[in-house]
Amino acid sequence: MRKWHRWISVFFGIFMLWIAVTGVLSQVAVLWPAGAPDPALEAAATPPEGFVCPEGWRCSPPRATSGIRSMVGLFHHLHSGETFGALGTTISVLSGFALIFFSISGIWLYVQMWNNRKKRKLTPRWFWK
């Protein structure tokens, strides 16, 4: 299991770092405080005269976005791999599977080390040197 853990991490480590960074950036962009409303967007958001919102619909003007908040879509496309086409999306999905594998194999390796310590009658601890 350790051999697989090492070999897969060599390849997917770079992609998982990319996914982690772009995922954090997309969340930071969403949580970033909104700036002052853009008057040009506000003017464009007013419906034409005589427009009536259909029953059951919620008609609201688009939110004015500026600065880092306007980059949420870009960060999402980078995060999902869509920017790089089918190959990027495939690598993104495979990186997700690799992350699942690393989680399961990491727990498996930890349990094996725990059991080996117990068999050698060493003091079982959560974390050891």
Side-chain angles (χ1 to χ4, degrees):
M1 183 68 71
R2 285 183 190 211
K3 181 176 118 180
W4 284 101
H5 201 89
R6 281 190 211 122
W7 279 105
I8 292 174
S9 68
V10 168
F11 180 74
F12 281 108
I14 297 164
F15 295 111
M16 288 193 313
L17 179 63
W18 173 268
I19 290 171
V21 169
T22 56
V24 167
L25 286 174
S26 68
Q27 292 303 312
V28 166
V30 168
L31 297 173
W32 199 263
D38 187 0
L41 284 176
E42 294 291 329
T46 56
E49 197 171 314
F51 174 79
V52 178
C53 187
E55 187 178 332
W57 287 41
R58 191 181 112 210
C59 299
S60 59
R63 299 168 80 192
T65 57
S66 61
I68 195 167
R69 282 187 143 209
S70 64
M71 299 175 73
V72 172
L74 171 68
F75 292 142
H76 172 74
H77 286 289
L78 290 172
H79 180 71
S80 66
E82 294 173 39
T83 304
F84 305 108
L87 179 64
T89 305
T90 303
I91 289 175
S92 181
V93 169
L94 290 175
S95 296
F97 284 130
L99 187 57
I100 292 168
F101 169 77
F102 289 136
S103 299
I104 293 169
S105 65
I107 291 169
W108 179 260
L109 292 171
Y110 183 83
V111 168
Q112 282 182 329
M113 290 183 341
W114 180 277
N115 288 337
N116 287 340
R117 269 184 86 78
K118 213 158 79 169
K119 284 179 188 174
R120 293 184 310 188
K121 297 189 180 2
L122 297 172
T123 309
R125 299 181 192 158
W126 285 100
F127 305 102
W128 53 81
K129 297 177 185 177

